[in-house]
């Protein structure tokens, strides 16, 4: 993907997230992309760009809304967003095909998240609260770039999936130039994601550093864990 296309996707994501945050008014800020070792020392790396093939699907954060809205089996959703010094927010919920029950906690309060499928207003509100602050723009910024490499398959959170590492210090010259233009000369995006065959993450860790002209450093940390749960057995 060209730099021009990735920048267009980045700003489109940011605009969409700002609009959603304003609509919800839930106090959650949008995601931020303000945003030679031995051969056996690590798994073989497979460079991205990705293909549509299930063995290298890339990372698709857009699927998370459908994961919650169309849950086929119970799972626990955990999402953390830390942007020092003001933001430290934790979303937790148990999701089934019929209900969403959880909470969102920040530095000032804990709010209940409750949705039932039979009440579409409560259901859609709960889905939006859980997913509106995901770092879509950051993933759009680096996806299909030289910053992402496939590092094999692993079992995580009771699921087997494809692991990708994210590190903009491995960028090609054009991608590195783009990163510097957005995040400053020393800016970076680093992390890892574990995805299913469709590229939908069931775990990811992401750290963003942006360096301003004054030397100030802006940091962001994100993490998601989707843990499958066994259905409750009725007597």
């Amino acid at each position: 993907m060209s730099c021009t296309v990735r920048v267009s996707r980045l700003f489109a994501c940011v605009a969409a997230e700002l609009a959603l945050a304003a609509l919800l008014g839930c106090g959650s800020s949008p995601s931020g992309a303000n945003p030679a070792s031995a051969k056996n020392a690590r798994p073989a790396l497979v460079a991205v760009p990705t293909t549509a093939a299930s063995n290298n699907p890339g990372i698709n954060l857009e699927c998370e809304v459908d994961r919650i809205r169309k849950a086929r089996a119970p799972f626990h959703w955990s999402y953390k967003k830390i942007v020092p010094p003001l933001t430290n927010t934790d979303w937790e919920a148990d999701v089934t095909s019929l209900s969403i029950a959880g909470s969102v906690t920040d530095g000032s309060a804990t709010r209940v998240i409750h949705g039932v499928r039979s009440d579409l207003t409560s259901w859609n509100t709960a889905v939006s609260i859980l997913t509106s602050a995901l770092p879509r723009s950051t993933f759009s910024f680096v996806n299909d770039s030289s910053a992402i490499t496939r590092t094999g398959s692993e079992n995580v959170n009771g699921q087997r999936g494809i692991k990708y590492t994210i590190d903009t210090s491995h960028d090609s010259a054009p991608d590195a130039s783009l990163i510097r233009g957005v995040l400053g000369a020393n800016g970076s995006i680093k992390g890892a994601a574990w995805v299913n065959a469709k590229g939908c993450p069931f775990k990811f860790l992401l750290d963003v550093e942006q360096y301003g002209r004054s030397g100030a450093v802006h940091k962001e940390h994100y993490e998601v864990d989707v843990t499958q749960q066994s259905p409750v057995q009725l007597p």
Side-chain angles (χ1 to χ4, degrees), residues 1-13 137 139-144 175 178:
M1 179 183 295
S2 70
C3 292
T4 300
V5 172
R6 288 216 310 283
V7 169
S8 298
R9 286 175 57 191
L10 170 63
F11 287 113
C13 285
S137 53
F139 274 102
S140 293
F141 192 45
V142 298
N143 212 10
D144 295 324
D175 290 336
L178 183 60

Side-chain angles (χ1 to χ4, degrees), residues 103-208:
S103 63
V104 53
T105 303
D106 56 26
S108 61
T110 296
R111 289 167 287 161
V112 172
I113 301 172
H114 178 70
V116 292
R117 187 177 292 277
S118 59
D119 177 358
L120 286 181
T121 298
S122 71
W123 184 259
N124 290 332
T125 299
V127 173
S128 296
I129 291 173
L130 290 177
T131 61
S132 62
L134 289 172
R136 295 178 180 86
S137 53
T138 306
F139 274 102
S140 293
F141 192 45
V142 298
N143 212 10
D144 295 324
S145 80
S146 52
I148 297 184
T149 52
R150 177 181 168 170
T151 53
S153 299
E154 289 185 359
N155 288 317
V156 176
N157 294 345
Q159 304 175 69
R160 185 163 184 81
I162 298 165
K163 180 182 179 182
Y164 290 99
T165 59
I166 305 162
D167 189 344
T168 54
S169 69
H170 297 159
D171 271 340
S172 64
D175 290 336
S177 177
L178 183 60
I179 285 290
R180 288 195 298 269
V182 175
L183 299 180
N186 297 311
S188 66
I189 302 174
K190 297 182 179 181
W194 291 259
V195 308
N196 62 20
K198 295 182 179 180
C200 193
F202 49 85
K203 180 181 180 66
F204 71 71
L205 305 167
L206 198 66
D207 287 286
V208 182

